[in-house]
Amino acid sequence: MSKASKEIARHLREAHFGNNWCDNFLKQELSTITWQQAITKPIPDANSIAELVFHLNFYLDYVHRNIKNDFLKFEQEDTFKMPPIQSEADWQNLLQKTWDDADAFAQTIEKIPANQLYVVIPPRNNSFYKNLHGIVEHTHYHLGQIILFKKLL
């Protein structure tokens, strides 16, 4: 375990579960969204909140698999191919998967030794360090969209 790995894991957890510097985090923002709101597109041709959550978790899972040398191949459009949400149970299942996957990923990140953080991984030849920070940045980017979409709903 390295100090850098622990810090990256902390940032990932904070983006999902709170205590980050911007005081907005996924679990809080999504806690008041009903399944009907989650599947509503607040702007024509925009994604729904549920699609954004699925998309966020798709990439988180992708990088998590890469770290474990389980390279997933996909097309860009796959990142939004969400199973239908037709009930509150479906929505809660997506949320629970998101929380579980984020926690499992953070645990994996914490175990990455310092010398492995800068190892280049396929297919884009980025380092673990860059990909891990990218997931946190990606989470905050879409969190901002989710907050705006909530206001529009």
Side-chain angles (χ1 to χ4, degrees):
M1 255 189 270
S2 74
K3 182 174 172 133
S5 297
K6 284 183 178 181
E7 284 297 304
I8 297 167
R10 182 176 63 83
H11 284 288
L12 179 75
R13 283 190 179 104
E14 289 175 352
H16 283 80
F17 306 115
N19 200 30
N20 59 19
W21 64 268
C22 66
D23 284 334
N24 296 96
F25 54 97
L26 278 175
K27 194 163 189 178
Q28 175 188 42
E29 294 301 331
L30 296 172
S31 69
T32 59
I33 300 290
T34 66
W35 75 271
Q36 294 96 336
Q37 290 171 317
I39 63 172
T40 301
K41 295 187 180 199
I43 302 170
D45 298 323
N47 294 301
S48 68
I49 289 173
E51 288 168 330
L52 291 174
V53 172
F54 177 85
H55 171 79
L56 278 170
N57 208 52
F58 186 97
Y59 273 107
L60 182 143
D61 184 52
Y62 169 73
V63 173
H64 194 185
R65 286 176 184 226
N66 279 349
I67 288 172
K68 294 180 169 190
N69 293 316
D70 178 19
F71 300 107
L72 176 68
K73 292 186 181 183
F74 67 91
E75 300 296 327
Q76 180 63 31
E77 58 269 10
D78 294 341
T79 71
F80 285 101
K81 285 188 181 172
M82 177 184 71
I85 292 183
Q86 299 173 326
S87 68
E88 187 65 27
D90 292 341
W91 173 232
Q92 292 305 316
N93 287 338
L94 175 61
L95 292 177
Q96 191 60 54
K97 180 178 179 351
T98 301
W99 313 145
D100 292 348
D101 289 355
D103 186 55
F105 189 35
Q107 289 178 41
T108 298
I109 293 168
E110 288 174 328
K111 296 174 188 167
I112 298 173
N115 64 345
Q116 191 179 359
L117 281 174
Y118 302 99
V119 169
V120 173
I121 55 174
R124 298 176 98 188
N125 297 322
N126 291 323
S127 67
F128 284 122
Y129 184 86
K130 183 174 182 179
N131 283 341
L132 297 174
H133 278 288
I135 289 297
V136 175
E137 292 166 0
H138 188 236
T139 301
H140 281 285
Y141 170 76
H142 287 301
L143 173 59
Q145 287 180 308
I146 289 167
I147 291 167
L148 289 172
F149 286 2
K150 275 180 66 174
K151 290 179 183 206
L152 291 172
L153 292 172

